Amino acid sequence: MNNLYRKKLLQRQNRSYTLGTVEFIHNQWVFFDDELDEATDLEFYTQQEVEVFRDQGWERGILESEGIVKTPYDKTNLKDTETIRIKKALIYSLEMLIEELSDDSFFQFLTSLNSLEFSLYDCIFCHNHLCFLEDRKIREGVNFLTFDNGETVCSVQHHFTYYKKQRDRFEFTLSTGKRIVIEKLE
């Protein structure tokens, strides 16, 4: 698996975007979040990936100042009351953790998480103990992650041992009592 494949898996995650509309009010662009029913100055999202719904499809680009979206082909202006979605960022410690995982462990973790109807973008807490062990020959410990999909909460313990072989064990526990344990040895 290469970085491009991982990136595609991340793009396909549920709830990876914040959906809403934009309006031009009092000479400034305002984003209205559909889920939270909140208004935010659109300038807050400058230089982030956005998608604009046009012609029955999503057009991807980078938001620039003053309601301009830079696409791979040109620059376009947002229109008043247009529907857009803004790419969410992963929690930094989670981003660092998934970069450390082998391709197989990453895929096993992600598919198990998704099978429980959670997305990486549902992560509300991640303690990545692995990042504190960079200089050690033997790296072992536990990472703690919490996910909330709006209906259920999932706690994940990631037990790891990285020495001559790499061992990853993920224990998923849902607030409903359901549990899943997966282990990957390499």
Side-chain angles (χ1 to χ4, degrees), residues 36-179:
L36 300 176
D37 201 26
E38 292 180 350
T40 309
D41 185 344
L42 191 62
E43 293 293 317
F44 178 76
Y45 300 103
T46 301
Q47 298 306 312
Q48 288 188 344
E49 182 182 316
V50 298
E51 291 185 356
V52 182
F53 191 73
R54 291 189 175 150
D55 301 323
Q56 307 301 317
W58 292 101
E59 188 175 309
R60 182 177 289 144
I62 301 296
L63 181 66
E64 295 185 344
S65 61
E66 299 178 20
I68 297 171
V69 177
K70 183 179 177 186
T71 68
Y73 312 105
D74 63 356
K75 290 185 179 186
T76 182
N77 291 313
L78 290 173
K79 298 174 187 152
D80 195 38
T81 69
E82 199 160 38
T83 300
I84 70 167
R85 54 188 187 186
I86 301 169
K87 183 72 172 170
K88 292 179 184 176
L90 289 174
I91 293 176
Y92 181 71
S93 56
L94 174 61
E95 195 173 352
M96 300 309 298
L97 174 59
I98 61 177
E99 285 180 13
E100 286 283 334
L101 296 176
S102 70
D103 290 341
D104 286 342
S105 291
F106 171 73
F107 186 74
Q108 290 286 328
F109 168 66
L110 187 60
T111 55
S112 297
L113 187 68
N114 291 164
S115 75
L116 296 168
E117 302 198 13
F118 288 90
S119 161
L120 284 174
Y121 292 92
D122 293 331
C123 187
I124 58 173
F125 175 78
C126 177
H127 173 74
N128 181 0
H129 185 66
L130 189 57
C131 70
F132 298 106
L133 307 174
E134 288 179 342
D135 299 332
R136 296 196 181 167
K137 187 175 181 179
I138 300 173
R139 300 187 304 161
E140 62 183 341
V142 181
N143 297 314
F144 299 95
L145 302 95
T146 305
F147 296 86
D148 184 344
N149 67 8
E151 295 177 17
T152 312
V153 175
C154 178
S155 176
V156 179
Q157 291 183 8
H158 170 226
H159 299 260
F160 61 90
T161 303
Y162 297 171
Y163 181 50
K164 292 181 179 177
K165 292 187 177 186
Q166 190 166 337
R167 178 182 165 263
D168 291 294
R169 177 184 169 100
F170 295 94
E171 299 178 8
F172 300 82
T173 306
L174 276 63
S175 55
T176 61
K178 182 176 183 176
R179 296 182 64 212

